[in-house]
Structures are given as structure tokens and as C-alpha cells.
Amino acid sequence: MTFRIDRRGLAAALAAACVALAAPAALAQAPADKVVRLLVAGPPGGSLDVVSRLLAEGLQKELNQTVVVESRPGAGGAVAVNDLLQAPHDGNTLVVALDALVSEIPHIVKLRIDMAKEVRPLVELARGGIVLVGNPSVPAKTLAELVAYVKASPGKVSYASYSAGTISHVMGLQLNKAAGIDMAHVGYKGTPPALVDLMGGHVPLMFAGIPNAVPLIKTGKIVPYAVSLPQRSPNLPNVPTFAELGYPQLEALVWIGLFTTPDVPAAAQTRMRDATLKVMAQPATRERLREFGLDAGQPRTADELTKSLRADHERVGAVLKSIDFKPE
């Protein structure tokens, strides 16, 4: 999974019982001649693309409709959202994007639209987290040792993020404040170049997406210190959470969502949400997500997801404001 934003390029239950009983009838009346379009706010081959194709495969069977996946990378998701807004608002065109679409992008890039008002999250498809990793040459094997090492060299130890203004940047700022240390930030244009420099020793630390880091951790090319998830990652069971180590403020989820527009008819939103939840709950789908380093999303309601995005947007904004960060 690549939690990547190109700054220059500028991105509860499954259903109540009564809804569940009504779903088969709704699906049976699906307009088979209508094509469902999943607009992916990321490049082909990335995590958003992989999750979208898993979803498309299942939706095609559930909805009895043709489902196509269309890559729409650029502008941190704004390109995909622009296409969504121009399409008929009938529920058959949706965007697959990171939660950063609403929580981070508005702080990073000057947009002509208000993401929080233009899009509505329907379903949390998959979730992951961030892991603090280091080059093996760093003389610290635990987070406590790392904090002591950084304190001994204030301003001389740097950390990489996959893009300035993103959660991988913000988490470093939060650790600085919580631990009383002074790591310098080095922003990159995506995860791959940052990991290359990390392995090469050009930057000693990085806050990286767990799926990207797991293969390198398992081969010993980088060393993990802590993960941002509420519980330990099944992919890194021996790596503690930040909360376990005394830094609960560094708990953070990164999730992939299915987004629509708020004005899509409620019945169409319910139909798509119910079908999507059914697909994502299938054991085979969950296993394929796990193989890719992701956990299945939780069946949070659209209102719960909206509330979460609003809270994350405010939290990220407050941290960035503290360093006088300005959007491009």
C-alpha cells in the first residue's frame, strides 16, 4: 500500500435487520444496463487500485451490473473527485480514495472545492497504519533507545515522510512534542524514493505505510520501532504500538474508502453500501487484503466515517498550523 500524495501533481453493523431483509429485493431490481464506475484516486498497481479491483469483482456479482475500474490519479484525489462531480449523481459513479482526501489534502493543496462538502464516505473498505522504521545502522533497537539517541543529538537526526503535510509528516511532529525531541523533517515525493534513501542510509528514520514496510522489515533491510494502530498489526505481531509505549497521541489509522456525493438518492446510497459491505465481508476478500498487508475495513456508518474525517482534518490542521505550514 502506498500512502502517497504528490503535492505538485495536484488528491456499527453491516446493516440493520430490516435493511438486510430488503436488500435482496433492491439488488434484484438493479439496472443491469447501467455501468458502475469506480474512479481510483491513485495510479494503476497501487493499493487503491488493488482494493478497487477486489471490490469490482464482487460488486459485479452482487449488483448484476458491469463494474469498471478507472484510474484517476493526480492532485491528491481532486482529479477523481472532479470526474465524480461531472458524472450523473445516480450512485453508479464512485471514488475509491484514502481518507486523506478529506482529512489531509485540503491542508496541503489549495483546492477550488470543499472536499468535506462535495464527497460523502459510504464504506471503509480497508485499513492500515503507519510504522516508524529506521536504517539498521541507527544505534537503537527500541523506541525508548531511539528517543534517547535523538535527544543526545538535537536537530541532527532526521526522518522522512512520503510527502510534506501528510500523516507521515505529522506523526514525526507529534513524536517530537510528546517525547521532547527534535527530529528534522525530510519530505519526499512518494514512498518508494523515501524507502530507497532510508535503506541507503541517506535518511535514518521514516514514518512509512505498514504494507510498504513489511517486506523490508522481514528481510532485515529496515528496523521497526512502533506502529500507529490501536492494536498490534497482524503483519508485525512483535512490533508494539505507540500507545503501548506511552505515546497514545500517535495512534492513527489510514483507511481506504468508497466515496459518493451527498446528493445521490438515499436508496441508491443504501443499495451500494449494502452490496459493498457484503463483498468486503467475504472471507476470501479479507484474506486477499491481508496478503497485501491490509486489514478489512470496519462497518462504520457513513455518518461515523464523516465524523472521523472531520476530527482527523482538525487534528492534522492543528499540528500543521503549529509549524506555520502553508498549502501550495
Side-chain angles (χ1 to χ4, degrees):
M1 182 175 186
T2 301
F3 303 123
R4 178 175 63 86
I5 298 174
D6 185 347
R7 297 181 71 206
R8 292 187 179 181
L10 327 164
L14 292 177
C18 60
V19 175
L21 292 173
L27 296 181
Q29 299 170 8
D33 59 325
K34 286 277 189 178
V35 174
V36 174
R37 301 169 63 208
L38 300 181
L39 308 178
V40 186
S47 60
L48 297 177
D49 183 67
V50 169
V51 173
S52 296
R53 293 185 187 283
L54 279 176
L55 176 60
E57 182 180 340
L59 283 181
Q60 199 149 272
K61 298 174 183 177
E62 288 296 322
L63 298 175
N64 190 33
Q65 288 177 261
T66 298
V67 182
V68 297
V69 175
E70 303 176 18
S71 180
R72 293 290 187 274
V79 171
V81 170
N82 182 64
D83 283 3
L84 172 69
L85 297 179
Q86 294 187 42
H89 292 197
D90 58 4
N92 288 302
T93 302
L94 305 107
V95 165
V96 176
L98 288 171
D99 57 330
L101 182 72
V102 177
S103 62
E104 298 174 15
I105 291 300
H107 296 301
I108 301 171
V109 184
K110 292 180 180 178
L111 301 172
R112 295 182 178 179
I113 60 175
D114 185 336
M115 286 292 190
K117 293 182 179 179
E118 298 291 357
V119 300
R120 172 177 170 81
L122 275 184
V123 182
E124 178 190 317
L125 301 174
R127 56 170 53 184
I130 302 294
V131 57
L132 173 58
V133 289
N135 184 281
S137 66
V138 175
K141 302 305 178 186
T142 66
L143 184 60
E145 292 178 356
L146 180 63
V147 168
Y149 169 66
V150 177
K151 279 186 176 180
S153 304
K156 295 181 180 180
V157 180
S158 60
Y159 75 96
S161 75
Y162 43 75
S163 184
T166 63
I167 191 64
S168 64
H169 177 193
V170 168
M171 286 189 68
L173 299 175
Q174 291 178 307
L175 183 58
N176 275 347
K177 181 177 181 180
I181 57 178
D182 185 21
M183 296 184 296
H185 171 247
V186 181
Y188 282 78
K189 299 174 184 177
T191 294
L195 285 174
V196 168
D197 275 7
L198 178 67
M199 289 186 289
H202 302 295
V203 61
L205 303 169
M206 179 182 179
F207 286 88
I210 290 176
N212 297 98
V214 166
L216 302 177
I217 291 171
K218 291 184 175 180
T219 56
K221 294 180 180 178
I222 57 178
V223 176
Y225 294 102
V227 298
S228 69
L229 297 170
Q231 298 85 31
R232 294 192 181 195
S233 168
N235 294 290
L236 297 170
N238 297 320
V239 181
T241 68
F242 280 103
E244 282 181 72
L245 300 175
Y247 300 100
Q249 58 272 73
L250 270 76
E251 182 177 303
L253 284 172
V254 180
W255 51 274
I256 295 173
L258 183 67
F259 294 83
T260 185
T261 57
D263 59 346
V264 166
Q269 291 191 40
T270 298
R271 174 174 173 270
M272 188 61 68
R273 174 178 163 81
D274 291 349
T276 298
L277 285 171
K278 188 172 182 180
V279 170
M280 301 311 293
Q282 294 172 1
T285 303
R286 289 173 173 264
E287 180 58 31
R288 290 175 71 179
L289 288 174
R290 181 67 58 83
E291 291 172 356
F292 196 66
L294 293 167
D295 293 326
Q298 297 298 305
R300 293 187 287 173
T301 66
D303 287 343
E304 288 172 334
L305 292 172
T306 298
K307 183 178 180 180
S308 172
L309 288 173
R310 185 181 303 117
D312 287 344
H313 177 269
E314 292 175 356
R315 176 177 58 84
V316 170
V319 175
L320 293 178
K321 184 178 180 180
S322 71
I323 62 168
D324 198 29
F325 182 90
K326 302 296 184 184
E328 285 190 347

